[in-house]
């Protein structure tokens, strides 16, 4: 928006008007984050709000396929596709900031899980269709989009849980192999010779 001063041809007076530019206003750049950083954001938010990490991953996969600048036809934004009113409700200032978006989305999931007494199906359906639709129909509403969404999140959740279980199974093996590692020790004898041995 800019201010323009022009003479009024009838009165001869100068008139100031505000002109709205038709150029798009540049948004602040979206931070580029690595997969490891995204995993850390998910793990931290999930732990803070006591939401299953694989559930968060499953919702992100279904919502945006991990695209931090995704925008739906209904105006939902970012990784967890927060509509602006939901973003404000859960303290998100910039829905395109991956860390803020995940934090807000996980807060919303926690709210829904509490609202529906840990009923994943209702919580996931409400994440897609809104709490009003769940109240109206007493469960998954008869919307094809929401029904497909619940099915997709369930499939994603199964895969994410399997991946998480594999990580847990691999961790002790890696720890055991590190513990079993015996470094070679070097020592210098009184005569100045170096001797190597394993403990």
């Amino acid at each position: 928006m800019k201010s323009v001063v022009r003479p009024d041809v009838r009165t001869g007076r100068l008139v100031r008007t505000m002109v709205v530019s038709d150029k798009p206003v540049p948004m602040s750049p979206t931070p580029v984050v690595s997969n490891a950083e995204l995993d850390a954001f998910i793990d931290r938010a999930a732990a803070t709000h006591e939401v299953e990490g694989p559930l968060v991953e499953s919702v992100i996969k279904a919502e945006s396929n991990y695209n931090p600048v995704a925008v739906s036809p209904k105006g939902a934004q970012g990784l967890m596709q927060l509509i602006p009113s939901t973003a404000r409700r859960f303290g998100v200032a910039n829905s395109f900031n991956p860390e803020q978006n995940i934090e807000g989305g996980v807060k919303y999931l926690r709210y829904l899980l509490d609202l529906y007494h840990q009923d994943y199906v209702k919580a996931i359906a409400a994440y897609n269709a809104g709490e009003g639709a769940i109240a109206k129909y007493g469960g998954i509403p008869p919307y094809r989009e929401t029904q497909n969404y619940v099915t997709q999140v369930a499939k994603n959740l199964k895969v994410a849980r399997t991946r998480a279980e594999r990580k847990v199974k691999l961790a002790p093996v890696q720890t055991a192999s590190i513990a079993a590692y015996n470094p070679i020790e070097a020592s210098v004898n009184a005569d100045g010779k170096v001797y190597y041995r394993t403990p």
Side-chain angles (χ1 to χ4, degrees), residues 10-191:
R10 289 182 309 142
T11 63
R13 293 183 180 173
L14 293 177
V15 178
R16 180 184 308 268
T17 56
M18 300 302 285
V19 178
V20 177
S21 172
D22 58 353
K23 294 179 186 175
V25 177
M27 293 181 65
S28 59
T30 301
V32 176
V33 294
S34 67
N35 290 341
E37 288 173 306
L38 280 178
D39 287 345
F41 296 157
I42 291 167
D43 291 344
R44 187 168 45 249
T48 299
H49 302 291
E50 298 177 353
V51 174
E52 182 183 2
L55 176 61
V56 178
E57 294 173 23
S58 303
V59 169
I60 292 172
K61 178 78 174 162
E63 288 288 348
S64 68
N65 198 25
Y66 285 87
N67 179 357
V69 294
V71 179
S72 78
K74 295 179 182 176
Q77 302 171 336
L79 288 164
M80 296 192 76
Q81 290 290 277
L82 301 175
I83 59 171
S85 60
T86 302
R88 283 190 301 276
R89 181 176 166 194
F90 292 97
V92 177
N94 178 0
S95 290
F96 296 109
N97 177 296
E99 187 172 15
Q100 287 185 35
N101 189 283
I102 290 169
E103 177 71 16
V106 173
K107 281 182 184 177
Y108 186 34
L109 279 173
R110 173 76 270 153
Y111 168 80
L112 293 172
L113 287 166
D114 289 343
L115 181 65
Y116 300 115
H117 310 287
Q118 307 308 311
D119 184 329
Y120 272 42
V121 173
K122 284 184 179 177
I124 292 166
Y127 194 95
N128 177 262
E131 298 110 292
I134 305 307
K136 180 177 179 180
Y137 294 102
I140 301 175
Y143 311 148
R144 179 168 289 163
E145 176 193 334
T146 302
Q147 293 170 349
N148 290 342
Y149 178 81
V150 170
T151 301
Q152 188 59 55
V153 171
K155 286 179 186 175
N156 294 348
L157 184 55
K158 185 176 181 181
V159 171
R161 282 177 173 163
T162 301
R163 191 170 46 246
E165 287 170 12
R166 273 194 233 128
K167 280 184 190 176
V168 170
K169 286 179 183 174
L170 288 176
V173 173
Q174 292 168 345
T175 304
S177 64
I178 291 168
Y181 173 69
N182 292 319
I184 297 173
E185 292 180 2
S187 60
V188 180
N189 201 352
D191 60 357

